[in-house]
Structure formats: structure tokens, C-alpha cells
Amino acid sequence: MDVVGVEGEAAGDAGARTVPAGEWEREPHPSDSLRTFGAVVQALREHAGLSRVDLGARVQYSKHTVESVELGRRMPDEVFVERAEEALGNTGALRKAARHLTRGEAGLAAWFRRWARLEREAVSLCTYECRLVPGLLQSEAYARAVFEGTIPLRTDGELEVQLDARMERQVMMRERPTVPFSFIVEEHVFRREFGDAEAMRGLVEHVLELTAPRNVTLQLVPVEARLHACLDGPLQILETSEGRRLGYSEGQKNGRLISDAKEVTVLCQRYETLRSQALNPTESRDLLERLRGEL
């Protein structure tokens, strides 16, 4: 699922935490357009002889919000842009500049971004999912259905940005043929309908294609399987180039990057135990092909 890591926290920090709601809006890696927009706001403010407190009062935002925008740490909303435009001379510069703003990592939930950056550099990645098809294996139609059903509803533009980001994440699997990718997924995930038979077949074929290379392993946990080692929920584990293992778990509107060695060891033990309890890769592909034939 789209994600994403602990914003503003280094992977090497001890312990683990859930991202506080107040941190979700910050941009962990500002884009050039955000920095440029912020510099324009600052230049116009200083030219007008206003402090950040003064501008904040005029646009009805806090001094800290003004500062975050000027430093490229926050994506300004339409209200901020309009009020700042009016407060700083109505030159049209801010309205025009705002049209070209892009986030540092558009389409990814704030709490998932650090993990997304870590997985791009990982030397191995393990994923267990019991809710939905992992984001790295989703077909475009499946991902679209997931986003369309998300609450709160997205605009068409927001949905397309998220969809692009999810499909872009899959590129790394094709570009990194020597990195081991392991997936363990509950069978019932592939039985949950999200569209017509053609869309369902397309999903299965997409997964079969992505998991065909030798460096990618897919194992299914059959519906008749008994209680197993990962009942606490989805998890991901990666290994860094320095040989360190990190974990990630995700819930409702939050994500948790797990760096504590003892916690990660437990996650690894659970994953390895489940690996032995799931169908082997050949049996799993056979099951997926049977599911495709049933559609």
C-alpha cells in the first residue's frame, strides 16, 4: 500500500513511531518549483516591507505557515495563493507560479514517502499483504479502483497523480533484476472482485508477468490455511546496502517505520515462518492460473 516512511526521521534513529497528523502536510524533499515559489513569496514580502508575522495576519495563516511556504517545505493551497497575491501587490506572479508547483514526491502519502525512498535503494524487499494486492504488483485498473474507493474522495486530477506514482514505483522492479523481491499474499485478496471478469483477468495476468523474473518470488496463503505467524497484519521488510534491516507497517491514515533491531528481528522471524506455511512459488503460480481460468 501506498508508502510510504516516517517523515523527517532518519532511518538510523532508534525506536519507531507513528507519524503525527501535524506532520503529514510537510514536504520531506521540496521540489525546485516549491523552492522557487517560496523565494518569490519572500522577495515580494520583503519588497513590501512586511515581516512573516505581518503577511501571516494579512493572509490569515500563521507565521510558521508563511515560513514553511517560503522555505519550500509546504505546498500552498489555493486560498493562500490568492490571499498572498492580493497582499503582495496583485502582480499575478504568484498565481502564475502556482500553476507549475509540484510536490517533491507527488502521489505518495506523507507517511509512506520515507519508506518509498528506502525501497528504491534496498538490496532486498519482503512484503506480506492480507488486505489488497501489494502496490508493487497492482494493475492500473486495480490501482484506479482502489483510489476511486478511498475516503475522502479525490478529484480526477489527484487520482491521476496517485495512479502515476503507484505505477512509477513498479518500474524499479524491472530496472533492478538482481534485487530479490519476495511477496506473500493471502489468496482471498485475488478473489475479491473490483471490476468485471476482464479486469480481474488483467490483474492476475499483470501479477503473473511481474513475478515471472527469477529475482521475484510470489507465494500465496490459501484460504484453507489455518492461523499463521503474521496475523497482526501487513508488513514489509527491507535490507539496506549497509546490511541493516528495517520494517514497515501501515494502518488507517498512518505508517510506522520500524528501525529497532529487536522489533525487526521479530518481524523477520514471523515472515520466515509464514514463508514456510504458504504455498511454494510453483504452487502459487498454478493457483493464480487456475483463478484466471475461473474468470
Side-chain angles (χ1 to χ4, degrees), residues 68 79 81 98 105 120 125-126 129 189 221 262 285 287:
S68 293
V79 175
V81 174
E105 293 170 288
R120 288 197 295 267
L125 180 67
C126 298
E129 255 297 352
V189 165
V221 182
K262 291 182 179 179
R285 290 186 69 82
L287 176 54

Side-chain angles (χ1 to χ4, degrees), residues 7-26:
E7 186 176 342
E9 180 171 334
D13 291 347
R17 66 185 180 94
T18 299
V19 180
E23 294 185 20
W24 293 349
E25 297 178 0
R26 292 211 304 266

